[in-house]
Amino acid sequence: MTTASSIAGTELGTESMQVLMVALQSELFAVDVGLVREILDPVPVTEVPGERGFLSGIINVRGKVVPVADLRKRFDMEIADTSIDTRFIVTEIDFDGVPTLIAIVADKVLEVTEIPAASMEEAPKIGMHWRPEFIRFIGKWKDDFVVVPNMERIFN
């Protein structure tokens, strides 16, 4: 583990991180709780003609139009039907200095937890089937590895 590396303002090995644990298929992802605004049960999604590949449409969140992103598409994963466990995680991500709400589809929301600083490592340069620039770092949760995505890079 490299402690001198800096990932999106967090020095690896120096600070723990509060995250929302979510499942996309059988993979575990951790979303920085600082980005999460709320978690919603699935609502109807309005499709938008010509949308980007991983943006599946828009939803109404208390009168605001919010784009819906399916990270399974962005990470070239198989798309599953909505289930009783499916949730929309409404996040606020900075786009060119403008805070923007985006709902992310999760197959299941597990819990809010902390990833200890000692378990954070840079994504390996080989052996990953995801683009490394989309991965902020890899952490350990219980006995599993968990991917902490770099949301700003995924959406910009």
Side-chain angles (χ1 to χ4, degrees):
M1 178 168 56
T2 306
T3 57
S5 297
S6 179
I7 297 179
T10 301
E11 292 266 339
L12 285 177
T14 62
E15 292 182 37
S16 61
M17 181 180 189
Q18 291 278 14
V19 295
L20 175 66
M21 299 298 301
V22 301
L24 299 178
Q25 294 177 349
S26 61
E27 302 285 344
L28 291 175
F29 288 82
V31 179
D32 184 338
V33 295
L35 301 176
V36 176
R37 296 301 166 253
E38 61 186 299
I39 300 168
L40 303 173
D41 289 334
V43 296
V45 176
T46 302
E47 291 186 25
V48 177
E51 96 292 334
R52 292 170 57 186
F54 68 100
L55 296 176
S56 54
I58 56 174
I59 60 173
N60 180 339
V61 178
R62 283 182 258 306
K64 292 184 178 184
V65 175
V66 176
V68 177
D70 194 333
L71 295 183
R72 295 171 298 193
K73 289 180 183 177
R74 191 68 160 156
F75 287 121
D76 294 323
M77 300 168 86
E78 189 174 311
I79 305 303
D81 291 330
T82 300
S83 76
I84 193 165
D85 292 324
T86 302
R87 296 293 180 269
F88 289 168
I89 303 164
V90 179
T91 61
E92 187 174 293
I93 299 171
D94 185 39
F95 285 103
D96 298 324
V98 178
T100 304
L101 294 178
I102 298 175
I104 299 168
V105 179
D107 292 326
K108 187 172 190 173
V109 172
L110 302 168
E111 66 182 70
V112 173
T113 190
E114 188 170 302
I115 296 179
S119 76
M120 296 178 193
E121 295 189 33
E122 290 184 32
K125 302 294 184 216
I126 59 171
M128 294 288 294
H129 55 268
W130 301 307
R131 292 173 49 187
E133 65 268 21
F134 290 164
I135 308 303
R136 190 168 168 193
F137 61 85
I138 303 292
K140 193 89 162 133
W141 180 65
K142 298 181 180 178
D143 291 329
D144 295 311
F145 288 108
V146 61
V147 175
V148 179
N150 186 324
M151 299 303 233
E152 289 80 14
R153 286 193 180 164
I154 288 171
F155 291 106
N156 281 320

